[in-house]
Amino acid sequence: MEYRIKEVLSNGFSLGNIKKEIEIKDNIKILSKEKEKELFSNSVLKSLNEINLLKEKEKDLYEYLCVQELMINDPLLKKSVFKLIDEGKSAKDAISISMDYVIDNLALSNSNYLKERVEDIKDVVSRLIMNLSNKKNKEKKKPFILYTNNLKPSYIINNHENILGVIAKNGGITSHSTIICKNYNIPYVIADIEFKEDDLCYIDTRKNIIIINPSLDIMEEYIKEKNEETKYTMKAIDHKGYKFLANVQSNNDLKYVLEYDFDGVGLYRTEFIFMNSNRAYTFLEQYEIYKEAITLMDKKSICFRTFDIGDDKEISYLKANKKGIDNYINNKELFETQIKALLEANIHDNISIMFPMIESNYEFNYLRDWLIDIAKKYNYKIPKIGMMLETKLALENINEFKNVDFISIGTNDLTFELYNIEREKVKEIDNIKILDDLLNKIKIVIDYCNKYNIELSICGEIAGIKDIALKLYEIGIKALSVSPSNIKSLNQSYTEFINK
Ligand code: PEP
Ligand code: MG
């Protein structure tokens, strides 16, 4: 039986048996008030101990763990729990009730970021409740695919060695669980399917599908692909004359860019920086982030895309439009602050800046001139300025673009505009006619860029699909920008390309 994935939070493909996350049962007998208070105090100590150990092991989660520590140590929590115990509640119920108030208020917020923090609080609750008893939140089973309502960060941290994939009913792209799954290369998807314990299940985020009881053919193909995958390490192979670039959305991702030895960053989605806040970042705050990124990349190139909002990327405090240029005209101050912070941070002269959702040369020139005016006004060096080619109109107007230093083709948006294929389903372009048509259109852009010496790359998701990447090389693309975890796929497609 085949199902659609509703949302992909972390990419990958995997096969395994379903295991449902155990829920903590409610049938705990209420002990004396003193005993319940003692249970709570011991649980606080155990939880803080656990967090301290994790802080050593999981450096990436340091901030997240500090916040957990703060919540557990909060004197108001203790006060509220003790009060509820005095009123006759068990320690477990007292913890849940005390946290529910905070959770309810966050859930009402308009901000996705704040809504996703609900899971972090639930994680604290679950940690404290687990530590009331000696039951551990750790599964000792053979590797499995986890099926859960909401994935808790502590669960994935404790069990990641055994988890082949995660299917959850709810979850969000900026949640800590997503970040952790990406770190461990665990596919994590949202889907509304009823599973039975031990169902054999295949997840493939490249095709956006989940299959229960897959056919023998699919299983054989899976084993072949996994073997292929393990043939390649997570390090870029030698790829002379071609560029392996990375798509990132935070400075944290840059560590993989360096570890896997990418040539640089082809797309830094800066809007994700703004999603982690409920207000616009100041010049100084942005400058620090960009400078850290630029310093980390050192001599490697890094291409920042000015914030690209609208569609599925909502930022509560910004007005969003579909057309890129409108977003900057409507949020003039943030655009100017962003450009200024980027130019100020450009200490290694290794940055380029590109604009999203451009439709015409007029729009590109308008933004380019705006950027150059800012650079001149403050005496900054002018970096390479380019555009994303991701709208139907830009494709139709390709011959107009004479001032661009580089073009990056964004197939996620482009395939939607051209063929009405939604971005989540872009990875399943196995319709040969559509793929051929897209390749023909990309070929026109390649010829144009070759003629005018314009650097060209592709940064949509399809660049991370081995067979399509191979076709892109064949028609003359020399730079692909993919999520860091797709390094193996780049290695494979490049190897096949030069051995053909
Ligand atoms: C694209 O549209 O292909 C792209 C890379 O940009 P985003 O996915 O951020 O819209
Ligand atoms: Mg796009």
Side-chain angles (χ1 to χ4, degrees):
M1 187 84 92
E2 189 172 316
Y3 299 90
R4 301 235 63 79
I5 291 172
K6 244 177 155 178
E7 195 183 356
V8 174
L9 301 180
S10 168
N11 280 305
F13 61 103
S14 126
L15 175 73
N17 291 95
I18 288 284
K19 178 142 193 31
K20 297 186 186 177
E21 188 182 1
I22 27 159
E23 297 290 337
I24 305 144
K25 296 274 180 301
D26 262 342
N27 52 358
I28 308 171
K29 219 170 87 201
I30 302 184
L31 307 169
S32 70
K33 286 176 187 162
E34 279 58 44
K35 199 81 199 133
E36 290 291 341
K37 285 182 188 169
E38 192 186 316
L39 278 179
F40 172 74
S41 303
N42 285 342
S43 159
V44 166
L45 285 179
K46 272 199 239 169
S47 303
L48 292 174
N49 240 339
E50 261 176 24
I51 291 175
N52 260 328
L53 291 174
L54 278 171
K55 271 181 143 168
E56 291 290 307
K57 247 176 55 193
E58 308 284 348
K59 300 267 186 254
D60 284 352
L61 299 174
Y62 190 83
E63 278 173 36
Y64 165 69
L65 292 165
C66 287
V67 175
Q68 286 227 334
E69 204 170 25
L70 273 177
M71 287 193 219
I72 292 172
N73 264 329
D74 186 348
L76 288 178
L77 172 68
K78 185 174 169 185
K79 202 171 152 196
S80 160
V81 169
F82 276 24
K83 186 170 168 272
L84 286 160
I85 292 176
D86 282 336
E87 286 168 10
K89 297 271 185 272
S90 66
K92 176 184 176 291
D93 285 348
I95 296 169
S96 303
I97 297 168
S98 304
M99 291 296 205
D100 274 355
Y101 176 73
V102 186
I103 292 175
D104 287 349
N105 278 328
L106 280 185
L108 288 176
S109 157
N110 282 333
S111 148
N112 277 343
Y113 177 76
L114 286 181
K115 273 188 195 156
E116 284 169 16
R117 300 290 75 77
V118 166
E119 290 315 307
D120 298 351
I121 299 179
K122 285 188 183 160
D123 200 28
V124 171
V125 175
S126 137
R127 190 183 288 285
L128 284 170
I129 291 177
M130 275 290 171
N131 283 328
L132 286 174
S133 72
N134 287 325
K135 207 153 145 197
K136 273 281 138 238
N137 189 12
K138 182 157 182 122
E139 309 278 330
K140 285 207 197 78
K141 292 269 160 103
K142 66 169 198 200
F144 58 92
I145 291 183
L146 175 72
Y147 178 56
T148 179
N149 275 337
N150 288 295
L151 178 63
K152 293 184 199 73
S154 62
Y155 188 94
I156 195 90
I157 295 171
N158 286 347
N159 296 288
H160 68 92
E161 286 138 349
N162 279 333
I163 294 185
L164 300 166
V166 180
I167 304 170
K169 287 197 173 165
N170 307 294
I173 199 82
T174 68
S175 71
H176 284 101
S177 301
T178 301
I179 296 168
I180 298 163
C181 284
K182 281 188 178 164
N183 277 1
Y184 292 131
N185 278 321
I186 297 174
Y188 172 24
V189 301
I190 303 298
D192 207 358
I193 307 168
E194 285 311 318
F195 291 100
K196 289 199 286 306
E197 188 81 2
D198 283 329
D199 269 346
L200 184 62
C201 172
Y202 174 67
I203 307 176
D204 193 337
T205 66
R206 302 164 302 178
K207 300 201 168 126
N208 239 44
I209 49 167
I210 292 174
I211 305 177
I212 302 181
N213 294 327
S215 66
L216 267 180
D217 284 354
I218 291 177
M219 290 202 269
E220 274 170 17
E221 180 65 19
Y222 166 79
I223 293 166
K224 209 174 108 208
E225 283 191 291
K226 274 287 164 200
N227 287 340
E228 275 285 298
E229 220 192 21
T230 45
K231 269 202 333 219
Y232 295 95
T233 63
M234 293 298 272
K235 264 241 168 334
I237 51 164
D238 198 7
H239 49 278
K240 291 184 198 83
Y242 286 76
K243 276 193 181 158
F244 285 10
L245 301 168
N247 295 343
V248 301
Q249 31 228 20
S250 71
N251 285 0
N252 193 41
D253 295 344
L254 295 174
K255 111 176 153 234
Y256 300 103
V257 177
L258 298 172
E259 197 179 314
Y260 305 160
D261 211 10
F262 278 88
D263 299 309
V265 170
L267 165 66
Y268 193 130
R269 292 180 164 104
T270 60
E271 59 279 4
F272 280 83
I273 295 172
F274 302 109
M275 281 181 193
N276 277 342
S277 155
N278 53 8
R279 59 163 176 85
Y281 276 13
T282 63
F283 166 79
L284 218 62
E285 286 168 328
Q286 289 191 58
Y287 164 75
E288 291 297 340
I289 295 171
Y290 305 144
K291 191 168 146 226
E292 183 186 65
I294 289 162
T295 311
L296 273 171
M297 294 307 288
D298 193 11
K299 292 190 176 59
K300 293 184 192 254
S301 61
I302 175 161
C303 175
F304 290 94
R305 174 177 74 187
T306 44
F307 63 90
D308 178 23
I309 50 172
D311 199 7
D312 59 338
K313 285 177 287 199
E314 288 170 33
I315 299 187
S316 57
Y317 53 91
L318 292 184
K319 286 180 235 134
N321 280 84
K322 181 162 164 38
K323 267 162 85 78
I325 188 168
D326 292 344
N327 285 324
Y328 306 131
I329 292 172
N330 290 339
N331 300 287
K332 183 167 172 277
E333 205 182 317
L334 186 59
F335 180 73
E336 292 188 345
T337 311
Q338 179 171 47
I339 297 292
K340 227 180 116 192
L342 282 168
L343 298 180
E344 174 81 28
N346 186 16
I347 46 173
H348 295 316
D349 198 14
N350 57 347
I351 75 163
S352 52
I353 297 179
M354 68 176 170
F355 308 121
M357 301 307 278
I358 294 291
E359 294 190 331
S360 66
N361 191 43
Y362 166 79
E363 289 178 5
F364 175 75
N365 277 341
Y366 183 97
L367 295 174
R368 178 178 178 271
D369 290 348
W370 195 354
L371 190 160
I372 292 175
D373 280 350
I374 298 172
K376 285 192 175 148
K377 185 167 164 198
Y378 297 98
N379 235 347
Y380 293 125
K381 201 165 176 330
I382 298 169
K384 282 187 183 165
I385 308 172
M387 62 177 260
M388 291 203 56
L389 194 144
E390 52 181 346
T391 65
K392 198 171 163 186
L393 280 172
L395 192 66
E396 282 168 21
N397 296 332
I398 184 69
N399 291 311
E400 287 181 359
F401 296 103
K402 296 279 188 304
N403 279 333
V404 286
D405 293 324
F406 65 94
I407 289 177
S408 184
I409 302 179
T411 50
N412 302 344
D413 278 299
L414 192 59
T415 40
F416 180 70
E417 291 214 359
L418 291 175
Y419 314 111
N420 215 14
I421 299 179
E422 284 166 31
R423 58 172 51 240
E424 292 81 17
K425 295 179 191 151
V426 156
K427 296 165 218 160
E428 51 173 296
I429 307 188
D430 40 18
N431 178 327
I432 299 295
K433 265 202 194 137
I434 290 187
L435 186 57
D436 280 352
D437 186 70
L438 180 66
L439 291 170
N440 286 337
K441 291 189 160 73
I442 291 176
K443 182 78 180 94
I444 296 170
V445 183
I446 297 175
D447 291 342
Y448 179 77
C449 289
N450 285 343
K451 188 165 164 199
Y452 291 99
N453 229 352
I454 296 168
E455 280 174 40
L456 178 65
S457 61
I458 297 208
C459 64
E461 287 300 322
I462 61 165
I465 300 172
K466 190 198 79 182
D467 293 340
I468 300 184
L470 178 62
K471 291 196 165 94
L472 292 169
Y473 282 134
E474 283 169 354
I475 61 169
I477 289 287
K478 296 199 158 177
L480 296 178
S481 196
V482 300
S483 310
S485 58
N486 283 334
I487 186 67
K488 285 186 180 178
S489 150
L490 278 190
N491 283 340
Q492 277 176 267
S493 53
Y494 180 76
T495 310
E496 282 186 30
F497 169 62
I498 49 166
N499 290 331
K500 246 190 167 178

